Amino acid sequence: MAEQTAPPESTGAPGAISAGPPGPAAEVRPEKPDAAVVRDALGVGIAVGLSGFAFGVTSAGSGLSLLQTCVLSLLVFTGASQFALVGALAAGGNPYTAAAGAFFLGVRNAFYGLRLSQLLALPRAVRPFAAHWVIDETTAVTLPQPTRRAARIGFTVTGLTLYVLWNLTTLVGALGAEALGDTDAWGLDAASPAVFLALLAPMLKSTTERVTAGVAVLLALTLLPVLPAGVPVLLSALAAPVVLFLMGRAKRGPETEGDAVTQRKKGGRRS
């Protein structure tokens, strides 16, 4: 469960979320109709929730029982970790090693929680239950919302829709695994990552975001053959500070050169 932190300061607009301290330069985004937030949240929840069928089929094909498969979806509820666990077991891996890999892959949700706790500022009694819904999809829907109200609606609708559908389709997939025959031939374990990538791609609007995503993918693919499952994904997060540092350094170069030219001109005028 992610540690909860104090809510951020808000801008002058009612319910608006500010990325920094209040002031004239604070960004105020227009409010978004509740219906539009619900529509977007339902779209994500339904699209990703249906891919629970793929997990049910893959888990049953890996040798897990119907009860084990359903309990994983109910209690773990993070698709990437679930697929990593059953994939490692299917490959003949040690159960403890498989669980460790799934755990490391799910650690990213704790970092999501640190940010979401600021945006949502939920009552303490609700936080333990909300923490279970802190996953990729709820984060992707919540973060772009312009107000705290919209963020709470987006988080709740996405989490509820996805949790219900994911568990229902997991059950259906596990029950229907025998009818599909060889589950490996269908490649259904790629369904959940593919859906998330389709959701993520439109959010990469700036050059910095695209470069960071590209470096992260390259880093993860390079480390995948040599490190345990889950670790390459965690280390790929290093792409963000590296890219920001390099781009910041490249930006400071021209600025420093411009300052030097300005100083030389001032020195020439004084002489």
Side-chain angles (χ1 to χ4, degrees), residues 2-264:
E3 178 185 357
Q4 305 297 329
T5 56
E9 298 291 337
S10 61
T11 64
I17 298 172
S18 170
E27 179 186 2
V28 179
R29 291 180 288 177
E31 292 192 13
K32 188 174 182 179
D34 293 350
V37 180
V38 171
R39 181 191 63 232
D40 295 344
L42 284 175
V44 173
I46 293 173
V48 181
L50 293 176
S51 64
F53 178 82
F55 171 72
V57 172
T58 304
S59 180
S62 301
L64 271 69
S65 68
L66 175 64
L67 178 61
Q68 290 171 327
T69 298
C70 292
V71 167
L72 269 177
S73 282
L74 285 168
L75 301 183
V76 178
F77 188 54
T78 170
S81 295
Q82 292 178 229
F83 276 113
L85 176 63
V86 299
L89 293 176
N94 183 287
Y96 296 104
T97 303
F103 171 79
F104 281 118
L105 194 57
V107 165
R108 70 191 187 283
N109 294 334
F111 296 100
Y112 295 160
L114 292 175
R115 179 61 179 140
L116 292 183
S117 65
Q118 295 177 331
L119 297 181
L120 299 173
L122 297 172
R124 291 185 179 276
V126 179
R127 292 176 185 177
F129 303 98
H132 193 50
W133 288 355
V134 176
I135 55 176
D136 296 324
E137 292 76 16
T138 53
T139 303
V141 172
T142 303
L143 289 182
Q145 302 304 330
T147 65
R148 176 158 292 145
R149 174 183 173 83
R152 287 178 172 179
I153 293 174
F155 178 84
T156 303
V157 175
T158 305
L160 179 61
T161 305
L162 184 50
Y163 188 73
V164 171
L165 273 181
W166 180 267
N167 282 282
L168 286 177
T169 54
T170 293
L171 174 62
V172 174
L175 290 174
E178 293 184 2
L180 290 175
D182 184 8
T183 56
D184 291 338
W186 291 78
L188 293 176
D189 57 332
S192 183
V195 170
F196 181 67
L197 287 176
L199 295 171
L200 180 65
M203 300 178 65
L204 304 177
K205 297 178 181 180
S206 69
T207 301
T208 302
E209 292 169 346
R210 295 191 187 100
V211 171
T212 302
V215 173
V217 170
L218 181 62
L219 190 59
L221 292 177
T222 302
L223 297 175
L224 189 60
V226 296
L227 293 177
V231 177
V233 175
L234 293 177
L235 293 181
S236 67
L238 296 174
V242 170
V243 171
L244 290 175
F245 172 77
L246 294 177
M247 297 190 75
R249 187 174 180 180
K251 183 178 180 180
R252 286 194 300 269
E255 291 177 352
T256 304
E257 183 179 350
D259 292 341
V261 172
T262 302
Q263 291 297 330
R264 286 198 296 271

